[in-house]
Amino acid sequence: MDYSELKYDVEEFESDQDKKIPQPPLVKESMRKESIELPKNFDALQICSNFLDIINTRHSSRVYAQEPMSLLDYLIFFGLVKV
């Protein structure tokens, strides 16, 4: 099925606002229990000026969900379905 050809009748479309569905929270709940204290005095930080050292020591602290993406998630991610 080619999802790019789907047509929606605007007159039949009812938005969440029309349905009086409450707005979702503006901020997601934290996935970590502990918080990370950020420094207030940046002068005390050791900053490496070598660009390659900076790139090579980078790391990600992202937390991913355990459940796999659905087909719809993939279609949205790759821009095949407009939301």
Side-chain angles (χ1 to χ4, degrees), residues 1-18:
M1 176 176 209
D2 186 6
Y3 291 100
S4 64
E5 295 179 6
L6 287 176
K7 304 283 187 233
Y8 295 101
D9 188 2
V10 177
E11 293 177 7
E12 291 181 18
F13 179 77
E14 190 175 8
S15 70
D16 289 350
Q17 188 174 14
D18 293 335

Side-chain angles (χ1 to χ4, degrees), residues 16-79:
D16 289 350
Q17 188 174 14
D18 293 335
K19 297 175 188 175
K20 306 291 187 212
I21 296 175
Q23 177 180 348
L26 296 176
V27 179
K28 287 176 119 181
E29 186 177 323
S30 176
M31 296 178 81
R32 297 176 179 214
K33 295 193 189 298
E34 73 280 350
S35 63
I36 300 172
E37 276 299 317
L38 299 177
K40 293 181 174 61
N41 179 7
F42 294 102
D43 296 330
L45 292 176
Q46 292 179 341
I47 298 177
C48 177
S49 61
N50 183 340
F51 181 72
L52 287 177
D53 287 342
I54 294 170
I55 296 299
N56 289 330
T57 57
R58 291 180 66 225
H59 68 279
S60 174
S61 60
R62 292 185 179 112
V63 179
Y64 295 99
Q66 293 298 317
E67 63 270 359
M69 289 175 55
S70 69
L71 175 61
L72 180 59
D73 293 332
Y74 278 109
L75 294 173
I76 292 170
F77 179 79
F78 288 109

